[in-house]
Amino acid sequence: MKIAIINGPNLNLLGKRQPEIYGGQSFEEYLSKLRASFSHLEISYFQSNIEGELVNALHQAAEDSDGIILNPAAFTHTSVALGDAVKSLNCPLIEVHISNIFQREEFRHFSYVSSGAKAVISGMGLRSYELALRYFLPA
Amino acid sequence: MKIAIINGPNLNLLGKRQPEIYGGQSFEEYLSKLRASFSHLEISYFQSNIEGELVNALHQAAEDSDGIILNPAAFTHTSVALGDAVKSLNCPLIEVHISNIFQREEFRHFSYVSSGAKAVISGMGLRSYELALRYFLPA
Amino acid sequence: MKIAIINGPNLNLLGKRQPEIYGGQSFEEYLSKLRASFSHLEISYFQSNIEGELVNALHQAAEDSDGIILNPAAFTHTSVALGDAVKSLNCPLIEVHISNIFQREEFRHFSYVSSGAKAVISGMGLRSYELALRYFLPA
Amino acid sequence: MKIAIINGPNLNLLGKRQPEIYGGQSFEEYLSKLRASFSHLEISYFQSNIEGELVNALHQAAEDSDGIILNPAAFTHTSVALGDAVKSLNCPLIEVHISNIFQREEFRHFSYVSSGAKAVISGMGLRSYELALRYFLPA
Amino acid sequence: MKIAIINGPNLNLLGKRQPEIYGGQSFEEYLSKLRASFSHLEISYFQSNIEGELVNALHQAAEDSDGIILNPAAFTHTSVALGDAVKSLNCPLIEVHISNIFQREEFRHFSYVSSGAKAVISGMGLRSYELALRYFLPA
Amino acid sequence: MKIAIINGPNLNLLGKRQPEIYGGQSFEEYLSKLRASFSHLEISYFQSNIEGELVNALHQAAEDSDGIILNPAAFTHTSVALGDAVKSLNCPLIEVHISNIFQREEFRHFSYVSSGAKAVISGMGLRSYELALRYFLPA
Amino acid sequence: MKIAIINGPNLNLLGKRQPEIYGGQSFEEYLSKLRASFSHLEISYFQSNIEGELVNALHQAAEDSDGIILNPAAFTHTSVALGDAVKSLNCPLIEVHISNIFQREEFRHFSYVSSGAKAVISGMGLRSYELALRYFLPA
Amino acid sequence: MKIAIINGPNLNLLGKRQPEIYGGQSFEEYLSKLRASFSHLEISYFQSNIEGELVNALHQAAEDSDGIILNPAAFTHTSVALGDAVKSLNCPLIEVHISNIFQREEFRHFSYVSSGAKAVISGMGLRSYELALRYFLPA
Amino acid sequence: MKIAIINGPNLNLLGKRQPEIYGGQSFEEYLSKLRASFSHLEISYFQSNIEGELVNALHQAAEDSDGIILNPAAFTHTSVALGDAVKSLNCPLIEVHISNIFQREEFRHFSYVSSGAKAVISGMGLRSYELALRYFLPA
Amino acid sequence: MKIAIINGPNLNLLGKRQPEIYGGQSFEEYLSKLRASFSHLEISYFQSNIEGELVNALHQAAEDSDGIILNPAAFTHTSVALGDAVKSLNCPLIEVHISNIFQREEFRHFSYVSSGAKAVISGMGLRSYELALRYFLPA
Amino acid sequence: MKIAIINGPNLNLLGKRQPEIYGGQSFEEYLSKLRASFSHLEISYFQSNIEGELVNALHQAAEDSDGIILNPAAFTHTSVALGDAVKSLNCPLIEVHISNIFQREEFRHFSYVSSGAKAVISGMGLRSYELALRYFLPA
Amino acid sequence: MKIAIINGPNLNLLGKRQPEIYGGQSFEEYLSKLRASFSHLEISYFQSNIEGELVNALHQAAEDSDGIILNPAAFTHTSVALGDAVKSLNCPLIEVHISNIFQREEFRHFSYVSSGAKAVISGMGLRSYELALRYFLPA
């Protein structure tokens, strides 16, 4: 089973900036652990700060994967283009957020992605990715 | 480790009405399976259609439990009282929703509970409870 | 044919307070007259000031009745829980209001119940109940 | 006793268009039945697609009738002129709607007429007219 | 000098209804006095409850008159068509209101006509027309 | 093939007023040219400043025509009645505007007609009608 | 008969700045002409850029005058204090504006003064004062 | 003289949770002191987390008491039912809040109770109750 | 202990205008009684209709007093300057209102002062000042 | 004559996804037909999912082309950058949409591009491009 | 070259209150340094807490100065009168703020002054004045 | 000392389009002059029309520079991603705008960047960059 993890803008800074909020671990380090724990899954990974490259990645993942985990980060709240891409998918997509976006500024409470997503997980730190992965396994 | 699951209004109808939306399984049936899968956890359960009884249940769970899973259902969007109770807790609380509330009416997009919750899971069906339970276990 | 009449908060004061607005007759007195006029109907009655007890009453009426007449009073404007309960019913429900809610404060112009109700009657005084009952009879 | 029934725009299409919504019966056919059932009432009827002709009809009915039943249709939501005319009446007016306007688009939830009407009946199909007529009879 | 006075919906009721608000004098009676006081002016008069007839009257007055006094009444707040007609005029137009519209419901505080009018007089009773006429005379 | 062109309020002024905006040609002159260019189409034409007459014209055109081109002008933004009439049609309707309504006042950006129209053309001057006609021809 | 004219902020600039808008005449020059035309009236005059001094002037005028003409200028839109002072008056007050405030920025469309004023005249240039004075004379 | 003190949801936690905000004293302890200081008053006390029980308590207090002190807590901002009950009272009611609700989240700035209350005291800690009691004594 | 009482605009009219609302007693008369009752307190008093003089008075009181009682009257709702001055104080300030501002126009429900005040008392008539004074005494 | 067609995000999926909405034809296939029909026009084509590349393409087209047809797709509603680029153009630009955006979600009703476009065509399917092309030809 | 610096309400407290925010230096001390650094400029200075005195100062400065630097402080967000005065100026005015107003409460994000100012500098501490002065020098 | 200047979308057109607004000088020409005037500073420069490339440039500048000057242009108003990147910086950033954004369309009055910026300069033309540079020098 192939799962694509796609991360949006500024998430390349994970582990480098604001470790008091996001922890001291880069996403790449966390990804290694995830792949070890879910060794029977084939997990691809893509990150970009460019909205259109994320749209491209979603189009590609729709060809190649059985499920998608998307953290749209700042684009969550502004990108109709990502929302449209998500709605055009054939495979299920889980939207994840590291922090609880409902505890942050009001403009972060709205997501253009959620209405096309299968489900949303918000606020579990990096474990949001792990639990999203489990969703693709049998209960 | 003790975990309290608390369900809000109309969730006593699960498995009885609108099975095309909520499935044909009652929450009690699902709970038996959850307890079997997580046999090392002590899982208590409470449901009420009365807002104040849910407030009472949260007060009690704060004394008795190490973690709480709350599906506030319709009160999600209207109950400052539940929101205040959640903010007064000492133990972590995960807010769960069976359906993806962001695909429903706009008034269901706001939650008085989320800003006090540790995390939110929305749209994974009954599996929302299972994944919330996993959050209380080591990664 | 069984019809359940369910009244919301503060309607236990009918006939006791503000008679210039609501008249000097209690709902129980009016109910006796209704039952006499519609003797071939079996009319049950429930009133509560507690939102969740009204939800419970709707769940019960859905089992026992062929039609429901609901005056949600103050909960009309605030209760998503009642609205959800109404949407889960199998039998038709008529929403009634004694006063014309559209002549009162703006927050009384919105109803969480109306979108799930079969029809709405507002402003006919106690006769709103009588006309709602007639709806359940042949034209 | 004289009752004027006044119908607003597009209601001349009743029975001709969208029978799945409005039924296959024209208002004229329905009116014959109403007159037969309420033979002791003198029921006049007027329909127009022109807002100002409806204002004129209300002015006239205020001279000629003991009660008015108005279905303002699309003008419900846009006509301050009709609302003003209703407020100037000396006889009681019941506002009726065939469909439940609270289940339709949000702009149909506001009525310029309701604050001047005695009462509002919405969603009972053509029976809304019958029940409004009954209001003018003794209970 | 030719001045057209144009009155909108329900103003045909002046002197007939709500005399406590609008006085007991019909507009025709008042007009006779106005014509007597301003005998060197040629004053035409038109009233309609039909928005489009008022648009037609404005088009016509623009051909025939040196100035226009318009009381758009209820159409003040809803008629883009009247507003457009006013903006297309070559001669000055004074918008008048008998009552002070800023003391009435909030929806009466906005006028589609004002932005195209030369000036606005609101709240001087029937004298609003007299003072508007004076505007067309030398100071 | 029969096409009905229906024009709303103030469009009778085309060629007479504000030629810097609307050009110096009346709609009748333009219509002659259109009929010459599209000689195999039977093009009817109706204009009114009265909303309800436009509703009547739409009802009639739905009986007589294969397609409708409607420029609702000022009624675009205020007429639920026209919107309802458009939704009841069996034949396709193209909404046209001479000027680009999105460059004008904000209240002109909303149309009650668009949600029932097949398509919208805005801002092409009188050519908006020509291109709408072409839509009814094979590509 | 004593009439107080009270002018608000920046009106001391009349005739000095932006003559293309406000003309080249100072208010004092205009006032001389007014006093000459209305020689049987005793007209007092006060101007200040300080809100509280205008409140004081209204309190004083209420003691000394039979009528007040107030141009609150910029304070029209922001001063609850002036609005309250106007509501406490025993004599009639006419609110005047030199320009048509409804043709200017949206924040100038609301007035805290209008709901307490007898009437409002807006957009007649300096003649707004003359017509307001006439209101205090017999028709 | 009989005074009823009625406390809303989560106030049973006073002295148990968040002592940095609410102090370390339970309401019962504070009540003993109040009763000692106001020994000539008969002070009853009721607390509930259930909205409808508070409505019932208000109905009862209206029978038994000369004055009511109500801290509606979270229901302040959401309960039309409590607001309606307050408006039906015959005796004066003082609304109190321990914290200054105007320094908290914006949704806490609106109260459904205030428009029916005699007066509001907000932000004096537990002393809000003492000062409200003094209101019932002669100055 | 020194307490400064500062009153905002139009409060110099107390006892002179609208006695049915504000009573027939001037503030100076009431102040004499307050000083007699609280003879161990040194109570200063200042009133102005000029916003900036009230700002100056707050700056001065912060130097001279142990506590401040401010009735900002109309400036409550419009003065960021007063709000800023209140936030810069070192001594506690109680905001008082004679009438219950929550029963008045909606624009009176917001206060720029409350978020910087220690507490708010609204609606107790002149007794609002007395109870605010008591706050500065031991319980 | 050179015309640039520029397509925004997700339009590379045309013919691949959701054929029930967008048809089974890719844009490239359609483009071949367009070029065949308009053989005397030189039609360039560019598509990107990246907002800034579309800005670049507009800058380039402004150098190279006599007219531009832009379907901004999802960026219609969010891109001030595209709107600014459109406003800086020297040649006319027609905004086109395949579906009628006024029948879709409310956030799709606003366009940052329209106020800078010459005209807008919405809802004619792929024929929107053909009709936009015709605009560049003589009538 | 003459430059007028004008400071609004509460800025007389600079260096006295909240030094952690505004520093420990009074504006007068800072002004001495500015005058020393810009010795070839003639810098006047005025501060008031009274809105109307600031309007007067702007009127005066327009007579006497070549440029104005205005820190409207709290009046930034509420004073239409200051905004109008700024718009009537003949010389350029730079609006400055010591703190970054966009990081503060939302009501501080809007300025009535900015639309009439040449430019705005916000957030550079006292250096905002220095950089504004530099603007009046050659680049 | 190293300073990075980063320019957003459409600013590559400076000097090429709309010279009446932006002048006839390209940013590169202006930059040469800036570097000459501030020869002791090391000034880097980057421009892109692609939002994500600007995010990348900010990430890079945070590594390489002592200060950043950002003109986010159209992205000011829409880019949460840029706002997030600005908030993650360790070095001070000055937001600049060539035109005074507060004099333009309302959607340009809000900035996602300002709340993370040290300061904002708006409306000084290209001199905005020069003054921002001076901020990084001693006063």
Side-chain angles (χ1 to χ4, degrees), chain E residues 64-80:
Chain E
D64 299 346
S65 308
D66 303 298
I68 301 174
I69 296 171
L70 173 67
N71 182 342
F75 293 146
T76 307
H77 322 297
T78 63
S79 178
V80 174

Side-chain angles (χ1 to χ4, degrees), chain H residues 99-126:
Chain H
S99 63
N100 182 343
I101 59 175
F102 305 106
Q103 290 174 338
R104 303 184 65 189
E105 302 95 319
E106 191 170 342
F107 65 79
R108 295 197 206 265
H109 298 189
F110 175 75
S111 165
Y112 278 110
V113 170
S114 295
S115 66
K118 172 64 193 163
V120 182
I121 300 178
S122 176
M124 287 181 162
L126 287 172

Side-chain angles (χ1 to χ4, degrees), chain I residues 8-23:
Chain I
N10 293 303
L11 289 169
N12 54 321
L13 297 182
L14 270 184
K16 295 187 196 152
R17 303 270 169 77
Q18 304 175 289
E20 69 287 1
I21 300 181
Y22 296 111

Side-chain angles (χ1 to χ4, degrees), chain E residues 33-84:
Chain E
K33 296 180 194 164
L34 265 190
R35 282 177 172 145
S37 305
F38 294 86
S39 57
H40 51 303
L41 293 177
E42 192 174 328
I43 303 175
S44 70
Y45 177 59
F46 181 74
Q47 190 274 339
S48 176
N49 294 327
I50 296 176
E51 181 188 14
E53 290 184 359
L54 295 166
V55 171
N56 288 339
L58 284 170
H59 291 177
Q60 191 59 45
E63 307 289 329
D64 299 346
S65 308
D66 303 298
I68 301 174
I69 296 171
L70 173 67
N71 182 342
F75 293 146
T76 307
H77 322 297
T78 63
S79 178
V80 174
L82 271 180
D84 284 1

Side-chain angles (χ1 to χ4, degrees), chain F residues 45-84:
Chain F
Y45 177 59
F46 181 75
Q47 191 275 338
S48 177
N49 294 327
I50 297 176
E51 181 189 13
E53 290 184 357
L54 296 165
V55 171
N56 289 339
L58 284 170
H59 290 178
Q60 191 59 46
E63 307 289 331
D64 300 346
S65 307
D66 303 299
I68 301 175
I69 296 171
L70 174 67
N71 182 341
F75 293 145
T76 306
H77 322 297
T78 63
S79 178
V80 174
L82 271 179
D84 284 1

